[in-house]
Amino acid sequence: MVISKMSAPSVSENSLPVTLEFSGGAELLVDKVKHHQVTLNGTKNGWTIKDLLVWIKDNLLKERPELFVQGDTVRPGILVLINDADWELMGELEYQIQPNDRIVFISTLHGG
């Protein structure tokens, strides 16, 4: 198993370690790496899932970002889990990311 470790550009002294996971084909968009341990540098207002999606698009997506993001959210067909709970129950884009959160992106779209 390959694990990627990256940091967002420095914004403040606070750091926010999170685990990002991609599966169901979504890992193909992030260089076939399923697990990413990342540290997001703190901001005054913290990080939301909306902020994280921009960071993922700018730092992790290696090809075809339109298969992962649509506008400021994930494409239909991408299931998002935050600590094993559906993101719809957690506030979707406005969820405030907490230290050591595990955020999983699962593609439910498969060719046939």
Side-chain angles (χ1 to χ4, degrees), residues 6-11 38-42 47 55 59:
M6 299 184 76
S7 294
S10 181
V11 176
V38 301
T39 300
L40 304 170
N41 290 315
W47 282 78
W55 187 87
N59 294 281

Side-chain angles (χ1 to χ4, degrees), residues 64-78:
R64 307 207 48 201
E66 70 276 6
L67 295 179
F68 186 76
V69 292
Q70 184 174 23
D72 62 355
T73 190
V74 291
R75 256 184 93 77
I78 303 283

Side-chain angles (χ1 to χ4, degrees), residues 3-104:
I3 297 178
S4 164
K5 294 185 179 188
M6 299 184 76
S7 294
S10 181
V11 176
S12 76
E13 295 177 14
N14 300 329
S15 63
L16 185 62
V18 296
T19 300
L20 305 177
E21 297 182 17
F22 300 84
S23 62
E27 70 277 9
L28 299 174
L29 303 174
V30 291
D31 217 18
K32 300 179 185 172
V33 178
K34 290 188 175 200
H35 301 276
H36 299 261
Q37 300 283 53
V38 301
T39 300
L40 304 170
N41 290 315
T43 66
K44 183 178 177 183
N45 298 323
W47 282 78
T48 64
I49 294 293
K50 184 176 181 176
D51 300 324
L52 177 65
L53 291 175
V54 171
W55 187 87
I56 289 171
K57 183 178 178 183
D58 292 344
N59 294 281
L60 291 182
L61 291 179
K62 299 298 180 190
E63 57 183 74
R64 307 207 48 201
E66 70 276 6
L67 295 179
F68 186 76
V69 292
Q70 184 174 23
D72 62 355
T73 190
V74 291
R75 256 184 93 77
I78 303 283
L79 176 65
V80 182
L81 301 175
I82 301 169
N83 301 320
D84 297 322
D86 190 326
W87 77 321
E88 291 178 359
L89 302 173
M90 308 293 286
E92 296 183 356
L93 293 172
E94 301 310 314
Y95 172 76
Q96 289 286 322
I97 299 172
Q98 301 301 307
N100 302 308
D101 272 351
R102 179 173 163 254
I103 304 167
V104 180

